[in-house]
Amino acid sequence: QCGQKRPLDADLPDPEELLGDSCVSRGTRDPHHGRVRQFAHIEGVYSSLVYIRVPHNDVLQRCADELLARVTPATPTAQVHAISADDLHVSLSRSFTLQRPQRQPFVDALRKAVRGCAPITLRTTGITALHNETRSCHFAALVLQPVETEAGMASSLLGAVDRVMGTFGKCGFYSPPVLHVSIAWSLDPVFTVSP
């Protein structure tokens, strides 16, 4: 418990008590379900991503649930894992790493760069299959488009993030950019979406 000291010889809590059902499922103690890191774990180096958190709402959840029911992996033995509503986000960058001394300067530069960007309204336009750069993880994602009058604002936001990424020697967002909210993932390389 936070703020409470335990004697050194006290029993440690059961990992399932700490992780909860969302991380430990079907008797496995692998909270990552076989996923592999894109970047090696190195002390002082942090895997990072620029994103906008998607607030949980019932309409988005219903839409994601309906589309998720239409997603199947390419192989019958592959598992599809729904992404928790608490983890839904719109990526504005590729995954990248920062060293400890770069973290605060990066955040400061990013805040300054996006300060002038206007809020944008995004709408869902369908579902697509995506993968990470190493193709070790695949996603079913809701494709998002800015409303017509705000397409330039979305480009400005992505451009601002890309400029900061470039300043820190990182790659810009994918070209062409596909704004999306991933709703499920799988180790299987291909999703097919039923009509």
Side-chain angles (χ1 to χ4, degrees):
Q1 302 294 354
C2 292
Q4 295 179 354
K5 291 186 179 180
R6 300 182 105 170
L8 291 176
D9 61 347
D11 289 336
L12 293 175
D14 181 27
E16 291 186 33
E17 176 187 331
L18 293 174
L19 296 174
D21 292 335
S22 63
C23 291
V24 181
S25 63
R26 290 185 289 281
T28 178
R29 292 207 180 265
D30 177 10
H32 305 291
H33 302 283
R35 286 180 287 184
V36 178
R37 288 176 158 277
Q38 281 190 271
F39 307 105
H41 177 71
I42 300 170
E43 184 69 30
V45 176
Y46 298 85
S47 184
S48 306
L49 179 70
V50 178
Y51 64 90
I52 300 169
R53 183 166 301 282
V54 175
H56 182 269
N57 72 58
D58 293 336
V59 174
L60 179 62
Q61 188 65 54
R62 266 194 313 277
C63 181
D65 290 344
E66 287 173 17
L67 289 173
L68 190 57
R70 295 174 30 203
V71 174
T72 56
T75 62
T77 57
Q79 294 182 351
V80 175
H81 304 272
I83 294 175
S84 164
D86 295 334
D87 293 329
L88 297 179
H89 63 273
V90 179
S91 298
L92 300 178
S93 75
R94 298 175 189 233
S95 296
F96 62 99
T97 60
L98 289 173
Q99 294 180 358
R100 182 175 288 130
Q102 294 176 302
R103 290 171 46 194
Q104 194 58 52
F106 181 86
V107 169
D108 293 343
L110 188 61
R111 282 188 176 133
K112 183 177 179 182
V114 300
R115 190 174 294 140
C117 295
I120 55 174
T121 304
L122 300 170
R123 59 184 169 84
T124 59
T125 60
I127 192 167
T128 192
L130 300 170
H131 55 79
N132 65 7
E133 289 185 65
T134 59
R135 295 181 184 261
S136 62
C137 196
H138 303 265
F139 304 91
L142 299 174
V143 179
L144 304 172
Q145 294 274 325
V147 294
E148 222 171 282
T149 58
E150 298 178 5
M153 291 184 265
S155 293
S156 294
L157 177 60
L158 290 171
V161 172
D162 277 355
R163 284 189 293 281
V164 173
M165 296 289 287
T167 300
F168 284 80
K170 309 300 176 188
C171 294
F173 200 52
Y174 303 99
S175 182
V178 177
L179 292 173
H180 65 277
V181 174
S182 296
I183 59 170
W185 67 271
S186 177
L187 298 177
D188 194 56
V190 179
F191 282 99
T192 56
V193 181
S194 305

